[in-house]
């Protein structure tokens, strides 16, 4: 049985749910409300030491980091495949995933936005400008 700890409005949760759905896998949906800071509580810290979503529970084992979860799902449930057959195509798909997962998401994550708001005294407009800057940079490349 698969159990996904995740948040509806989280892009790392989205990408994991998309893969679960593409592969036709059923799973228990466990909501972790980032907007209520549920991920920062001690209970979720026991599940995911980075206190981020998603976490996939597989037979009592907690898998975290969406990229690692998605690779696990690809290895255990290879059909339908997520990557093209040719090596160049696979490198291109991985590059797109890295732009989103390594270049865009980390700088715009909730904890980063909150830090900019609180420590650098940015209002919603200032934080929004930060998000737009890095999202535009990444999406233009894509
Ligand atoms: N690299 C991790 C990032 C996980 C992560 O931080 N997810 C965001 C939601 S999209 C989160 O939980 N943020 C909480 C926070 O920043 O406090 C992954 O891909 O799973």
């Amino acid at each position: 049985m698969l159990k996904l700890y995740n948040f509806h409005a989280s892009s790392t949760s989205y990408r994991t749910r998309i893969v679960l759905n593409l592969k036709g896998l059923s799973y228990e949906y466990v909501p972790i409300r980032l907007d209520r800071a549920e991920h920062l509580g001690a209970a979720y810290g026991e599940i995911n030491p980075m206190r981020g979503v998603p976490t996939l529970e597989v037979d009592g084992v907690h898998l975290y980091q969406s990229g690692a979860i998605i690779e696990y799902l690809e290895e255990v449930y290879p059909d339908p495949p997520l990557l093209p057959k040719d090596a160049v195509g696979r490198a291109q798909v991985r590059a797109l995933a890295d732009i989103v997962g390594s270049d865009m998401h980390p700088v715009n994550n909730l904890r980063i936005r909150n830090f900019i708001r609180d420590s650098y005294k940015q209002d919603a407009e200032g934080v929004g400008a930060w998000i737009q800057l890095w999202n535009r940079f990444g999406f233009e490349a894509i």
Side-chain angles (χ1 to χ4, degrees):
M1 182 59 194
L2 300 173
K3 191 191 273 194
L4 187 69
Y5 298 85
N6 71 125
F7 181 55
H8 65 276
S10 134
S11 62
T12 52
S13 299
Y14 265 110
R15 69 178 75 131
T16 308
R17 291 194 302 262
I18 287 168
V19 170
L20 285 162
N21 289 325
L22 270 174
K23 291 183 177 292
L25 299 169
S26 58
Y27 59 94
E28 183 184 344
Y29 185 116
V30 182
I32 302 295
R33 295 290 301 261
L34 300 189
D35 55 339
R36 295 178 189 160
E38 287 177 359
H39 61 303
L40 301 179
Y44 190 65
E46 291 293 319
I47 293 170
N48 184 320
M50 283 296 285
R51 293 165 195 265
V53 289
T55 301
L56 184 70
E57 189 176 311
V58 185
D59 297 330
V61 177
H62 293 135
L63 304 180
Y64 26 77
Q65 291 294 338
S66 58
I69 294 171
I70 288 168
E71 282 192 41
Y72 165 83
L73 293 171
E74 178 72 349
E75 286 171 11
V76 177
Y77 307 98
D79 288 318
L82 298 175
L83 296 170
K85 282 196 168 59
D86 63 300
V88 167
R90 287 200 299 277
Q92 289 171 328
V93 170
R94 290 187 176 116
L96 293 175
D98 276 353
I99 290 174
V100 175
S102 302
D103 294 337
M104 292 164 71
H105 176 268
V107 293
N108 284 340
N109 205 356
L110 178 61
R111 65 195 68 175
I112 305 302
R113 300 197 311 260
N114 289 346
F115 184 84
I116 291 167
R117 182 195 62 201
D118 299 336
S119 298
Y120 294 140
K121 307 297 174 212
Q122 291 298 309
D123 58 13
E125 196 179 337
V127 176
W130 170 273
I131 296 169
Q132 283 173 25
L133 175 69
W134 302 117
N135 277 353
R136 187 177 302 115
F137 195 68
F139 279 126
E140 280 178 0
I142 288 171

